[in-house]
Amino acid sequence: MSEVANKVVNQQVILKELEEFEISLFMKREDQIHPFISGNKYRKLKYNVLKADEQNTQTLLTFGGAYSNHISAVAFAGKEFGFKTIGIIRGDELGRDLDLTLGQNITLRLAYDHGMKFKFVSRSDYRYKHTPEFIEELKNEFDDFYLVPEGGTNDLAVKGCKEILKDDDGVFDVICCAIGTGGTISGIINSVNKDQKVLGFPALKENFLHKEIEKYTTDDKNCSLIRDYHFGGFGKVSVELITFINNFKKETGIPLDPIYTGKMMFGIVDMIKKGIFKKGTKILAIHTGGLQGIDGMNSRLKKKNLELIYK
Ligand SMILES: *Cc1c(COP(=O)(O)O)cnc(C)c1O
């Protein structure tokens, strides 16, 4: 997998509706690193897995929601690198009938098939997951493990994300990245040169991410958060967004996920159309992956009788 990670391509994005604006837009296809370990999740896990190995720990334990790209990534990484994995999953109702849950949720199904063991906890308990008391309880239940935080962000994750940009990417004026916890963009901020601007697109409604990013970056002055494209919150979508994702795929061949990269690209295209970037600007958007989440989203859209995302 590290072979593939070293050979990620920047693919030019050509859209008819952007022709007149004379902006050059590329996507870094980190999604192609692995079909299930989202590009950025691979980067975030890399040094954590090495650390767990160094500590002779046999088990990775982490937290996530039922459709989480991170849960999926940890399960696959565990299988690939020889660790047992435990997922602490939000929603105790999901644990009542595991077969039913696995029949309805492809993210958990695949994680399970890759050997992940689950502990389902109530939404209220889940809120305390990072407290010492909760961790202590987990230690009693599961013995020794290497803890990967929810979303995978820690210092080692940020270190891994510093490897996303390569020397050749110095030609771009603007680097764009979707944000969940802020780990990925922090690595990018730490690796850009001083003339480059970083734009972050939060996938959730928030006013705290700039603080999270500050924790992991030495100098984040070259970064701005664009808070207009969360579509109502984490995991929320609109018909307009789904139509955009489908048209984008048709026109460019690049699949986008509805939680992160779809929202970011919608935002970039909208900003270009509004004339926010000056002529000749070179933009590189990071395709962080997340494509495993499309099936889960489609089953939600189907229930509401809405247009599905083509694959
Ligand atoms: C997790 C994830 C992100 C967000 O990464 P953070 O480091 O949490 O900000 C972005 N895109 C995709 C596809 C993801 O799975």
Side-chain angles (χ1 to χ4, degrees), residues 167-297:
D167 292 343
D168 294 351
D169 297 325
V171 301
F172 291 100
D173 305 302
V174 179
I175 313 292
C176 298
C177 182
I179 311 182
T181 60
T184 307
I185 198 168
S186 294
I188 288 173
I189 292 168
N190 290 343
S191 66
V192 290
N193 64 46
K194 64 176 183 354
D195 304 319
Q196 291 179 305
K197 174 101 192 134
V198 181
L199 299 182
F201 293 78
L204 58 153
K205 220 167 163 172
E206 51 70 42
N207 55 12
F208 58 85
L209 278 169
H210 56 286
K211 290 235 168 63
E212 285 302 301
I213 293 168
E214 260 171 37
K215 281 190 213 161
Y216 294 105
T217 52
T218 39
D219 180 1
D220 63 356
K221 284 197 284 297
N222 56 0
C223 171
S224 305
L225 299 189
I226 311 294
R227 293 185 154 120
D228 304 327
Y229 302 102
H230 56 63
F231 289 81
F234 191 73
K236 301 241 164 78
V237 295
S238 69
V239 172
E240 197 187 9
L241 178 65
I242 302 299
T243 305
F244 171 83
I245 289 171
N246 284 336
N247 287 341
F248 190 89
K249 169 84 197 299
K250 230 185 277 167
E251 229 180 309
T252 66
I254 304 174
L256 300 173
D257 86 292
I259 314 290
Y260 295 102
T261 55
K263 293 181 179 183
M264 169 186 68
M265 289 315 290
F266 186 102
I268 295 170
V269 168
D270 192 50
M271 288 167 76
I272 293 174
K273 288 199 286 193
K274 286 180 173 152
I276 287 171
F277 303 104
K278 63 172 194 283
K279 276 201 165 74
T281 303
K282 295 190 182 68
I283 303 175
L284 178 65
I286 311 300
H287 196 318
T288 37
L291 302 174
Q292 73 84 26
I294 292 178
D295 286 326
M297 180 58 73

Side-chain angles (χ1 to χ4, degrees), residues 5 8 10 28 30 33 39-41 43-44 157-167 169 175 177 183-185 187-188 191 284 286-288:
V8 171
N10 293 338
K28 186 176 277 299
E30 295 269 305
I33 293 177
N40 70 329
K41 300 300 185 289
R43 304 275 180 198
K44 292 171 87 167
V158 173
K159 177 178 172 187
C161 291
K162 268 183 87 170
E163 296 174 0
I164 294 174
L165 292 182
K166 308 287 183 248
D167 292 343
D169 297 325
I175 313 292
C177 182
T184 307
I185 198 168
I188 288 173
S191 66
L284 178 65
I286 311 300
H287 196 318
T288 37

Side-chain angles (χ1 to χ4, degrees), residues 6 20 24 36-37 61 64 72 83 86 90 109 134-135 137 161 165 205 208 215 225 249 281 306-307 310:
N6 286 329
E20 63 186 283
S24 76
F36 290 98
I37 308 184
L61 178 143
S72 171
F83 291 91
I86 298 167
R90 182 177 60 229
R109 165 93 251 161
F134 195 85
I135 309 284
E137 267 177 44
C161 291
L165 292 182
K205 220 167 163 172
F208 58 85
K215 281 190 213 161
L225 299 189
K249 169 84 197 299
T281 303
L306 294 171
E307 180 184 354
Y310 318 128

Side-chain angles (χ1 to χ4, degrees), residues 115-179:
M116 184 175 261
K117 294 216 163 58
F118 300 125
K119 177 180 167 75
F120 295 93
V121 301
S122 70
R123 277 147 224 276
S124 51
D125 285 353
Y126 190 81
R127 255 179 257 137
Y128 298 103
K129 63 188 170 300
H130 289 150
T131 62
E133 294 77 15
F134 195 85
I135 309 284
E136 198 51 45
E137 267 177 44
L138 293 174
K139 291 252 153 152
N140 290 336
E141 190 171 343
F142 298 110
D143 290 332
D144 190 36
F145 53 76
Y146 182 89
L147 190 147
V148 184
E150 183 186 38
T153 290
N154 57 16
D155 289 329
L156 291 174
V158 173
K159 177 178 172 187
C161 291
K162 268 183 87 170
E163 296 174 0
I164 294 174
L165 292 182
K166 308 287 183 248
D167 292 343
D168 294 351
D169 297 325
V171 301
F172 291 100
D173 305 302
V174 179
I175 313 292
C176 298
C177 182
I179 311 182

